[in-house]
Amino acid sequence: MAFWRKMLLPLALVFIPGLLLASIKINAFLLGQGWGLLALLIIIIALVLMYWGFEQGRVSSREVAVIAMLGTIAAAGRVPFASLPGIQPTTFIVIISGFVFGPRAGFMVGSTAGLVSNFFLGQGPWTPWQMFAWGLAGTSAGVLKTGCPRAGKKVMTVFSFLWGYLFGWIMNLWTWTGFIHPLTWESFVATYAASFWFDTLHALGNAAFYLFFGSSFIKILQRFRRRLEVRLLPADS
Amino acid sequence: MFEGFFYQEKGVFLQSLHPLAAVFYLGGLLVLTLLFTNPLYLLGLLLVILLCIAAVRGWETWETYFRLSLSMMILVIIINPLLVRTGETVIWWGPRLPVFGRLTVSLEAVCYGAAMSVRLLAVISIFCLYNLTVHPDKVLSLLARFASRSALVLSLATRMFPAMLRQMENIREVQAMRGVDFQAGTLKERLSRYAALMNILLLSSLEDSLEIAEAMQARAFGSGKRSCYRQDTWRPRDSLCLGGSLLALAVAVYGQAKGFSTFSFYPQLGYLIPGPMTVVVLIIILLALSVPVVLSWGWQRCPYIKAKI
């Protein structure tokens, strides 16, 4: 078991480029059609790696509970806005969670939101992609925090805005590899052009959420982050 | 609103499968659906999936899924012929467009779009079947053996989601009682009202989460090796279903490698049935995949089979 724990990351890192190479070199393996399957496999490996990272770290019961709750809030955010296409606070909540609690927690909040909301809105082949996209949004926000801890309102608003597009672009990969043929630059551009307005709406929604409510939400989260840091003293002292 | 999507215990055979066998079977179905492009194979898989859905008495739920996927299917059928220019049999010459050049619709692209929409429907039906057959907690407990913390996060979140929606409704009602109208006003005003709602929700639920953490702490979370609350028994039916899925996967890989089950759309449509082996492979795969359906039928009708599996 310990061996596998050590080997998981290098194995996966070899396996993913191996799959990509196999898809180019051995056409019979994919028959020019299996891209949807291959892409799904790569996404699932990436997700497994991210979850594995979470398993390895030291996580207290408080962190588990707060991460789960933030994931639920982000997931629940999808529901009341279901009638407005693209505008939902999920991405925004995932980003500020990652920003305040760090990349690992950000990933967990994002992927939990994707998975859990789909338990209720309907699971589908899009689930791993959404988990991946939102997880990455949270992780990147955490990385941004470590990179420039003083990232202010402007930087974060632009960051949220960009994630509106990035999220759509990751999801487009799903549509493109799964259901469009042939996979050419033309069809790639067409798929991306088709989702442009939808992504723009999502990006604008994110930016608006951050601009108006980012600071108050971050203040709440930071307060809870301070409360997470608990030191247990030995009982006999 | 989303009642149909929830797992409901109906006491049918497929729900009594071991989660590992059920997840493996559904995963196998998914892989095969994404692997095959031959319309005959896709239709065959769809047939098996629909039989399974009938076996869990899930027609009503499936109808909702079907209605949801219909628009996507139509989109796939329309986008493919418009974008793809590799088909040789052109059945419609369209107008010239600035970026894309002349629009053409070829027979091959229409067929490809139709096949892909069947694939889409099959994939969505598999997920419908998943929601109908597998209890989320069972899968999470399966996951907990490998990744206990992630499984805990996921099961906590799953458990709290409906409560969260109820709480959101509560807050909304309290706000409405205090004179906040969520329907009126411009988009910006409505957004700000919803954000106030989220603000309250965030505060109160994070407060709750710390209570949950204390409850976990009190129950000795993380103090040693995890104990297991739920034990699922592995019965002959699970071995049979697992065997069927494995056989189907193996035959599918064989068929794909030998080219029996492949089908080429471009540049011209290939033969649907190039040789007898195509049919043989298809029949073996479908039979292997319908093991759960047959068992389910036997389980209902024949007491002997019910006692044995």
Side-chain angles (χ1 to χ4, degrees), chain A residues 137-150:
Chain A
T139 314
S140 61
V143 171
L144 181 78
K145 173 74 176 274
T146 43
C148 51
R150 301 220 159 264

Side-chain angles (χ1 to χ4, degrees), chain B residues 253-285:
Chain B
V253 169
Y254 171 76
Q256 285 292 92
K258 294 275 176 188
F260 296 136
S261 52
T262 55
F263 182 76
S264 61
F265 288 92
Y266 302 111
Q268 271 191 318
L269 293 179
Y271 288 106
L272 206 54
I273 306 173
M277 276 308 280
T278 305
V279 182
V280 174
V281 168
L282 176 64
I283 288 176
I284 295 177
I285 290 176

Side-chain angles (χ1 to χ4, degrees), chain A residues 128-213:
Chain A
W129 291 87
Q130 285 179 338
M131 286 169 72
F132 180 74
W134 270 318
L136 216 56
T139 314
S140 61
V143 171
L144 181 78
K145 173 74 176 274
T146 43
C148 51
R150 301 220 159 264
K153 203 172 181 177
K154 276 180 200 155
V155 179
M156 287 306 286
T157 309
V158 172
F159 184 78
S160 315
F161 181 78
L162 287 181
W163 259 105
Y165 284 104
L166 279 177
F167 184 84
W169 290 346
I170 294 174
M171 292 309 290
N172 279 349
L173 277 181
W174 169 66
T175 328
W176 187 60
T177 53
F179 303 102
I180 306 286
H181 184 89
L183 300 177
T184 57
W185 285 112
E186 246 180 23
S187 64
F188 183 80
V189 170
T191 315
Y192 276 70
S195 78
F196 178 76
W197 289 113
F198 192 79
D199 294 340
T200 307
L201 220 55
H202 186 190
L204 285 176
N206 282 350
F209 273 119
Y210 198 90
L211 209 56
F212 294 119
F213 322 111

Side-chain angles (χ1 to χ4, degrees), chain B:
Chain B
M1 181 175 174
F2 302 112
E3 286 301 316
F5 289 132
F6 292 102
Y7 171 88
Q8 286 157 348
E9 191 66 54
K10 292 177 186 166
V12 293
F13 171 77
L14 285 176
Q15 290 180 334
S16 74
L17 285 175
H18 190 277
L20 188 65
V23 167
F24 195 86
Y25 175 70
L26 292 167
L29 275 178
L30 185 64
V31 167
L32 291 184
T33 316
L34 292 176
L35 189 67
F36 291 132
T37 45
N38 191 327
L40 270 186
Y41 280 68
L42 287 175
L43 283 174
L45 285 173
L46 186 62
L47 178 73
V48 172
I49 297 162
L50 293 184
L51 283 176
C52 283
I53 288 175
V56 284
R57 300 202 293 268
W59 276 118
E60 283 170 27
T61 314
W62 184 76
E63 268 171 35
T64 332
Y65 275 82
F66 180 68
R67 255 180 270 133
L68 287 176
S69 51
L70 206 57
S71 59
M72 275 173 82
M73 285 164 68
I74 292 170
L75 203 68
V76 167
I77 295 181
I78 292 173
I79 279 188
N80 263 299
L82 286 182
L83 289 180
V84 176
R85 224 81 51 72
T86 35
E88 278 186 351
T89 323
V90 175
I91 50 177
W92 185 67
W93 293 94
R96 224 166 255 287
L97 288 183
V99 185
F100 293 102
R102 187 161 192 182
L103 281 180
T104 56
V105 173
S106 64
L107 181 65
E108 287 82 8
V110 172
C111 293
Y112 184 78
M116 284 308 101
S117 64
V118 171
R119 175 191 275 182
L120 187 67
L121 181 62
V123 167
I124 286 173
S125 307
I126 290 173
F127 279 95
C128 168
L129 185 61
Y130 171 84
N131 287 347
L132 287 168
T133 26
V134 190
H135 195 296
D137 282 355
K138 281 190 182 177
V139 181
L140 287 174
S141 76
L142 201 65
L143 188 68
R145 291 197 197 157
F146 312 107
S148 51
R149 289 200 203 106
S150 319
L152 186 65
V153 168
L154 290 177
S155 49
L156 268 178
T158 317
R159 182 65 74 237
M160 285 182 300
F161 189 86
M164 183 78 67
L165 289 184
R166 268 199 302 277
Q167 201 180 351
M168 195 139 68
E169 205 47 52
N170 273 349
I171 299 171
R172 194 207 303 266
E173 274 172 14
V174 170
Q175 296 275 66
M177 289 294 285
R178 296 172 68 188
V180 179
D181 188 356
F182 285 98
Q183 307 302 326
T186 60
L187 187 65
K188 194 181 154 190
E189 285 168 350
R190 266 190 295 168
L191 269 183
S192 81
R193 280 171 203 142
Y194 273 114
L197 194 147
M198 294 299 282
N199 228 330
I200 301 167
L201 190 70
L202 197 64
L203 263 175
S204 63
S205 54
L206 282 176
E207 203 68 51
D208 288 350
S209 78
L210 291 186
E211 271 169 33
I212 291 174
E214 256 125 52
M216 279 158 62
Q217 195 79 32
R219 285 162 180 76
F221 170 80
S223 63
K225 204 171 175 299
R226 282 172 60 86
S227 55
C228 189
Y229 178 68
R230 174 185 218 135
Q231 289 278 325
D232 291 303
T233 45
W234 186 272
R235 282 170 286 206
R237 61 184 79 163
D238 302 310
S239 305
L240 286 171
C241 291
L242 192 66
S245 331
L246 284 174
L247 178 67
L249 280 175
V251 174
V253 169
Y254 171 76
Q256 285 292 92
K258 294 275 176 188
F260 296 136
S261 52
T262 55
F263 182 76
S264 61
F265 288 92
Y266 302 111
Q268 271 191 318
L269 293 179
Y271 288 106
L272 206 54
I273 306 173
M277 276 308 280
T278 305
V279 182
V280 174
V281 168
L282 176 64
I283 288 176
I284 295 177
I285 290 176
L286 291 189
L287 283 182
L289 284 177
S290 29
V291 167
V293 181
V294 175
L295 287 181
S296 168
W297 182 82
W299 190 74
Q300 278 176 339
R301 300 290 162 86
C302 172
Y304 178 74
I305 295 181
K306 189 171 180 176
K308 279 292 168 189
I309 57 171

